[in-house]
Amino acid sequence: MTTPAATMPAAPATLWTPFAHAVFRAIWVAGLVSNVGTWMQNVAGVWLVTTLTTSALLVALMQTATSLPAFLLSLPSGVLADLIDRRRLLLFTQAFMAVVAAVLGVLTLTGGISALAVLGFTFLLGMGSALNAPIWQTVVTELVPRPVLPFAITLNGVSNNIARAIGPAIGGLVIAYYSPGFVFLLNGLSFLGTWAVVYAWRRTPTAVAGPAENFIGALRAGMRYVQYSPALYGVLVRTFAFSFGASAMWALVSVVVARKLHLSSGHYGTMLSWLGAGAVAGAFLMGRAGSRLNFNQRVLLGGLAFVGTNVALALFTAVYWLYPVMFLSGIAWLMVMTSFSTTVQLNVPKWVQARVISIYMLVFQAGLSVGSLVWGELADRTTLTVALLGAAGWMLLSSGLALPFPMRSGENLNLDPAGHWPTPEVQGEVDPDDGPVVVMVEYLVAPQDWPAFRQAAELLTRLRLRDGALRAGVFADMAHPERITEFFYVATWGEHQRQHLRFTKEDQAIEAQVQQFHTGSVPPHVTHFLAFPKSINVEVPMPLQNLEAQQ
């Protein structure tokens, strides 16, 4: 299988358009099978721990064991996905998880397993999933064109939720008639199936322009990009608030079924199946709601729906009333998660995509992990009802974040590299590791235009910092105030070369806003200053001395 060219679809995209791309279709089917195995594993693992211990905290820690590895490994895995061939990483992660699931299955069938051991193996599977997840999400952008991407992301959510609807039911039946050990073995086989499909994929290698990034530098670049992107950190705040409150349902629903309702694993699996069925239905409903509700409204409605979910789990005493609640919760879950994921991916260029997605997943999993611990501990110290009502209260209060942190759609952004900066004039050879580098851009701005220029320059300063600058700012010449100099300070010459490649066509509009205030007869003058090597005893120019003194 080879990756198709990402061409613009002739007709308007629909939910089914991504399936027209053969590689996406094959990987989606493989992912669906793997997701079924994962949900079977989740049900079997949680139920096995529930039967091996009487502690609600240990049961809740199953969610933590799944989520904590993502908290620890999301950032490194995102960096690796941006620096290393993604196909090879996928082959490694799928093989690793297959081995872990197989060993857990064998130990369970031979009776050599304990609650703590199940937690340990779940943590190892979580490590594999944490390494796999950013790669899996970014692969979608290579398989379909940008206009189709929101539908491809929604279909990935559908895949997970079809698996949620089918997997728990199958897992519950296998547990009831055989053993959780067989569930773990089947999960291992599902990973091997995905490995085979990825192996058959002949991915077109991505051409890397400019100096190569090292691991630490790439990690810093990803974090810096999020720090100076308001659209992204708004999503992250909302993501943590939602996942922290919603974690109560995931962590405690098995306890509700087993301890409060006194029902079997089959009912627990059925509860999760209703949740998955709701999410699948939500994918089709979102096609109609997409033109009526923006991402901000979808997340707000989904959060309010989970207020009702937690209240229902706390107060309802009949399982048949909880089934439609879980169905509606599935709709809300898909609506919120696809809104978060789509917003992130549409606001990020390819060079930093996996790193930003890994940060998003880190925040999401942190909310699940911390929330599971908090609500599980609260249930142990008080009652199950108090914990669930507390989570409902949190979800209600956090809905107010929609005002200070609105979701910003990036569907119409052009994030392709602008490539319009000329190559700097350099005498001799400059090593990419030489630095620091100061870039100065001189403008002539009339005094009456200063307020508007300053406002536009602040936006440009944010872009400089986002793309790699350690410091940036604007200064006026005290002798000639109309002469204004923009500067930005970069750690190395190689990092500045990468800045040339990171500036997007969307960013050009902000740069043009600044340059329109320039009144000179020639374009703004750009000068590059490079710090002298320490071994040469030459006086450093004053601008560099002042900057280095501030370090």
Side-chain angles (χ1 to χ4, degrees):
M1 292 186 296
T2 57
T3 305
T7 57
M8 187 76 71
T14 68
L15 186 63
W16 307 109
T17 304
F19 287 132
H21 301 272
V23 181
F24 174 84
R25 187 169 61 246
I27 288 183
W28 187 88
V29 172
L32 174 61
V33 174
S34 181
N35 287 336
V36 170
T38 297
W39 279 103
M40 291 170 60
Q41 170 95 28
N42 289 346
V43 170
V46 171
W47 194 258
L48 183 58
V49 172
T50 304
T51 60
L52 292 174
T53 180
T54 59
S55 171
L57 176 59
L58 281 181
V59 176
L61 283 175
M62 281 294 290
Q63 180 64 55
T64 302
T66 302
S67 305
L68 184 59
F71 180 78
L72 299 175
L73 297 177
S74 280
L75 283 177
S77 62
V79 174
L80 290 174
D82 277 334
L83 299 182
I84 301 176
D85 183 80
R86 293 172 182 174
R87 176 176 170 273
R88 293 183 180 181
L89 286 175
L90 282 175
L91 291 174
F92 169 77
T93 56
Q94 295 299 315
F96 173 78
M97 289 187 287
V99 171
V100 173
V103 173
L104 176 58
V106 171
L107 289 177
T108 302
L109 291 174
T110 57
I113 201 72
S114 65
L116 289 177
V118 176
L119 284 170
F121 277 99
T122 302
F123 183 83
L124 290 176
L125 284 171
M127 289 178 61
S129 179
L131 292 171
N132 182 80
I135 313 167
W136 195 262
Q137 290 208 30
T138 54
V139 158
V140 177
T141 63
E142 299 184 28
L143 306 181
V144 298
R146 184 176 174 84
V148 182
L149 184 58
F151 297 100
I153 293 173
T154 299
L155 284 172
N156 278 346
V158 170
S159 169
N160 191 38
N161 286 286
I162 290 176
R164 183 183 285 122
I166 299 174
I170 298 175
L173 289 173
V174 175
I175 295 169
Y177 288 97
Y178 299 99
S179 164
F182 288 109
V183 174
F184 303 145
L185 292 178
L186 289 173
N187 186 37
L189 288 176
S190 74
F191 289 128
L192 289 179
T194 306
W195 186 93
V197 172
V198 173
Y199 182 79
W201 173 33
R202 295 296 176 256
R203 177 177 181 259
T204 303
T206 303
V208 179
E213 292 183 271
N214 59 46
F215 183 88
I216 299 300
L219 178 61
R220 290 173 178 169
M223 297 176 69
R224 188 167 52 239
Y225 193 94
V226 171
Q227 179 183 358
Y228 292 104
S229 300
L232 292 177
Y233 61 69
V235 175
L236 298 183
V237 170
R238 301 282 295 280
T239 296
F240 181 85
F242 177 81
S243 61
F244 182 84
S247 66
M249 180 198 71
W250 296 110
L252 298 175
V253 66
S254 68
V255 182
V256 170
V257 173
R259 307 278 165 76
K260 179 182 176 182
L261 303 179
H262 305 289
L263 298 173
S264 67
S265 63
H267 289 88
Y268 172 58
T270 303
M271 288 273 282
L272 295 184
S273 296
W274 276 88
L275 187 82
V280 174
F284 297 98
L285 293 175
M286 282 178 60
R288 297 177 179 272
S291 59
R292 302 177 184 177
L293 298 176
N294 58 38
F295 290 142
N296 198 51
Q297 293 168 332
R298 294 181 194 181
V299 172
L300 179 60
L301 288 176
L304 293 176
F306 264 81
V307 174
T309 300
N310 289 328
V311 170
L313 288 173
L315 302 180
F316 287 8
T317 56
V319 70
Y320 298 107
W321 287 107
L322 288 175
Y323 290 155
V325 170
M326 298 302 284
F327 183 84
L328 294 175
S329 300
I331 296 175
W333 180 263
L334 183 79
M335 183 166 59
V336 172
M337 298 313 300
T338 55
S339 297
F340 284 150
S341 182
T342 303
T343 301
V344 169
Q345 297 206 42
L346 290 178
N347 278 278
V348 179
K350 289 185 178 180
W351 70 268
V352 75
Q353 189 176 57
R355 278 165 278 185
V356 174
I357 289 175
S358 70
I359 293 172
Y360 156 69
M361 298 181 70
L362 167 66
V363 172
F364 173 72
Q365 295 294 348
L368 284 181
S369 297
V370 176
S372 298
L373 182 62
V374 169
W375 307 126
E377 181 69 14
L378 185 60
D380 269 353
R381 291 183 177 273
T382 57
T383 65
L384 187 60
T385 299
V386 169
L388 289 166
L389 290 178
W394 169 270
M395 296 296 288
L396 184 61
L397 290 174
S398 63
S399 63
L401 293 172
L403 294 176
F405 298 103
M407 306 276 288
R408 302 179 184 180
S409 174
E411 294 182 43
N412 299 319
L413 298 180
N414 188 344
L415 301 180
D416 293 332
H420 69 299
W421 287 358
T423 302
E425 182 180 347
V426 175
Q427 295 294 330
E429 294 291 330
V430 180
D431 191 281
D433 292 330
D434 286 348
V437 175
V438 174
V439 181
M440 293 189 175
V441 186
E442 296 184 7
Y443 303 89
L444 293 176
V445 181
Q448 64 269 21
D449 292 332
W450 286 352
F453 176 84
R454 179 182 297 174
Q455 186 175 11
E458 286 177 355
L459 297 176
L460 187 58
T461 295
R462 181 181 291 275
L463 297 183
R464 308 297 197 201
L465 295 169
R466 183 202 67 186
D467 288 350
L470 301 179
R471 291 186 182 88
V474 177
F475 292 89
D477 188 333
M478 296 180 66
H480 305 280
E482 71 280 1
R483 190 170 73 178
I484 296 178
T485 299
E486 178 208 359
F487 87 94
F488 52 99
Y489 174 82
V490 190
T492 66
W493 180 248
E495 186 69 3
H496 177 57
Q497 289 179 293
R498 286 188 284 270
Q499 279 186 303
H500 279 243
L501 304 172
R502 294 169 180 172
F503 204 78
T504 69
K505 293 181 179 179
E506 198 68 31
D507 300 333
Q508 279 185 277
I510 296 176
E511 186 181 54
Q513 290 178 13
V514 174
Q515 292 184 352
Q516 71 177 339
F517 296 105
H518 176 64
T519 60
S521 58
V522 296
H525 181 65
V526 181
T527 309
H528 296 78
F529 294 90
L530 177 67
F532 286 113
K534 301 295 183 181
S535 58
I536 299 178
N537 186 19
V538 180
E539 184 178 356
V540 180
M542 184 60 68
L544 286 178
Q545 285 182 336
N546 291 339
L547 286 170
E548 291 174 347
Q550 296 175 21
Q551 285 187 302

